[in-house]
Amino acid sequence: MPAAATPAGAGLPRFPIFSDLSREAFVALTGAMALRRVGEGEVVLREGDTGTSFYVAATGRLAVSKRDDRGEAVVLARLGEGDFFGEMALLSGAPRAATVIAEEPSELLEFRAEALLEIARTHPHLAASLRRFYRQRLLANAMAVSPIFRPFPRGDRKLIMERFRAREVAEGETVVREGEPSDGLYVVLDGAVEVVKRKDGGAVVVGQLREGDLFGEMSCLRKAPASASVVVRRGGTLLKLPRRDFDELVVSYPQILELVAELSEERSENLDAILSGHAQWTEDGLVLI
Ligand code: CMP
């Protein structure tokens, strides 16, 4: 076959995320890049770890998974040639949101965080594109792992999600105050919150919640003041379902009522156990004493 029949670059992987970069910017970026080969079954990055790199897949196939509130791994996506990952921890400073495992031998372009952040700073299109993906992935993940969305088919998950409003929160902010009425049901989209309860003139931590977890369900359900306070430990975004919308939603989706009632009962028991000194909240969760 004559050489001219093969267009220049044919057979090379395509990287849509870099398509807006000038040739110079792309060349500058490749200087900060390493080629990493991973074998089948190899973990590229693990949920909860600190993120220092960003990856683009040149070849192969990878599975992205995340633990749900029961500790079970849920597959969120499969990535292949041209797809990128590892941007979430770099953009938010939060731990890795998911685990990425190679499902077949794969070749990855690995970029140090600083190189990616520098190029994003000077290329607003690239930064906007990364942020858009970040947001979409956050929402997709909440829908896949949160007990309030998980039981439903895709279409219903979206309809339920649309009833929520996003609320940005900063570290140290009190979202729900013990003894006061709470204004709705919340889902942690991004960030981390701590549940604290007054005890003997002080305060004890009775729970720590992360992406996908719910709170405010007890007071919504019982129409009673909040049984504990919820304080933001790592700033981020919460999804809020105002009380009135909660009441309407459970008419269309009675399973939500069931789920919230179960969760509420379980948490009530845990609260009693902690307050009576039979259990303690630790970094690893609730521990019976
Ligand atoms: P990071 O949190 O740094 O590390 C895990 C990565 O998995 C995350 O960045 C995303 O790049 C990727 N990821 C998380 N959720 C999804 C998703 N729903 N679809 C595709 N990729 C995802």
Side-chain angles (χ1 to χ4, degrees):
M1 190 190 288
T6 310
L12 289 177
R14 293 170 54 82
F15 306 118
I17 187 67
F18 297 139
S19 59
D20 277 344
L21 295 190
S22 66
R23 200 181 162 74
E24 296 74 45
F26 186 70
V27 169
L29 193 58
T30 54
M33 177 192 99
L35 180 66
R36 179 166 164 196
R37 290 197 169 84
V38 289
E40 183 182 335
E42 196 170 319
V43 176
V44 181
L45 51 84
R46 200 180 289 280
E47 182 177 356
D49 284 355
T50 305
T52 52
S53 299
F54 167 79
Y55 299 86
V56 183
T59 64
R61 197 167 68 126
L62 304 112
V64 183
S65 66
K66 185 171 179 66
R67 302 220 160 261
D68 66 15
D69 58 319
R70 301 165 300 187
E72 284 172 27
V74 178
V75 175
L76 303 168
R78 292 205 152 76
L79 305 178
E81 180 185 319
D83 292 329
F84 63 86
F85 59 96
E87 80 293 357
M88 296 177 80
L90 305 192
L91 293 180
S92 66
R96 293 292 193 197
T99 295
V100 179
I101 301 182
E103 289 191 316
E104 54 184 59
S106 307
E107 290 174 310
L108 308 174
L109 309 183
E110 180 177 1
F111 300 88
R112 306 290 307 160
E114 310 80 63
L116 180 79
L117 295 177
E118 173 58 21
I119 204 92
R121 205 175 53 75
T122 48
H123 291 78
H125 271 105
L126 176 69
S129 185
L130 287 173
R131 273 200 303 275
R132 202 172 49 248
F133 268 92
Y134 173 69
R135 198 94 195 149
Q136 279 168 359
R137 287 174 169 178
L138 269 183
L139 288 172
N141 297 356
M143 287 197 265
V145 303
S146 179
I148 196 149
F149 305 111
R150 199 184 49 218
F152 301 102
R154 224 187 166 82
D156 287 330
R157 285 182 185 177
K158 265 196 87 192
L159 289 175
I160 299 171
M161 176 65 95
E162 279 164 12
R163 308 292 291 261
F164 282 79
R165 294 283 161 268
R167 173 173 162 189
E168 307 295 325
V169 287
E171 186 178 328
E173 196 173 325
T174 301
V175 183
V176 170
R177 214 173 281 278
E178 182 176 351
E180 294 183 8
S182 75
D183 54 357
L185 174 75
Y186 288 86
V187 176
V188 181
L189 184 61
D190 178 22
V193 302
E194 203 161 72
V195 187
V196 274
K197 184 144 180 77
R198 287 194 291 260
K199 188 188 177 195
D200 307 329
V204 278
V205 174
V206 294
Q208 275 157 334
L209 308 179
R210 50 171 220 132
E211 309 105 81
D213 288 334
L214 311 180
F215 64 90
E217 79 294 347
M218 286 183 171
S219 39
C220 268
L221 195 65
R222 300 174 188 165
K223 302 191 171 18
S227 54
S229 296
V230 179
V231 183
V232 178
R233 284 296 164 237
R234 182 163 43 77
T237 310
L238 304 176
L239 294 175
K240 174 180 157 187
L241 180 69
R243 242 182 214 225
R244 194 149 33 93
D245 294 74
F246 173 81
D247 292 338
E248 281 172 22
L249 193 67
V250 297
V251 176
S252 322
Y253 298 98
Q255 302 98 305
I256 292 186
L257 197 58
E258 221 172 279
L259 176 149
V260 164
E262 257 173 47
L263 186 66
S264 203
E265 193 173 325
E266 187 187 317
R267 286 181 167 173
S268 227
E269 284 169 12
N270 291 350
L271 215 51
D272 289 345
I274 294 175
L275 291 181
S276 61
H278 292 108
Q280 200 178 358
W281 184 268
T282 70
E283 287 299 319
D284 300 322
L286 192 74
V287 174
L288 295 179
I289 304 172

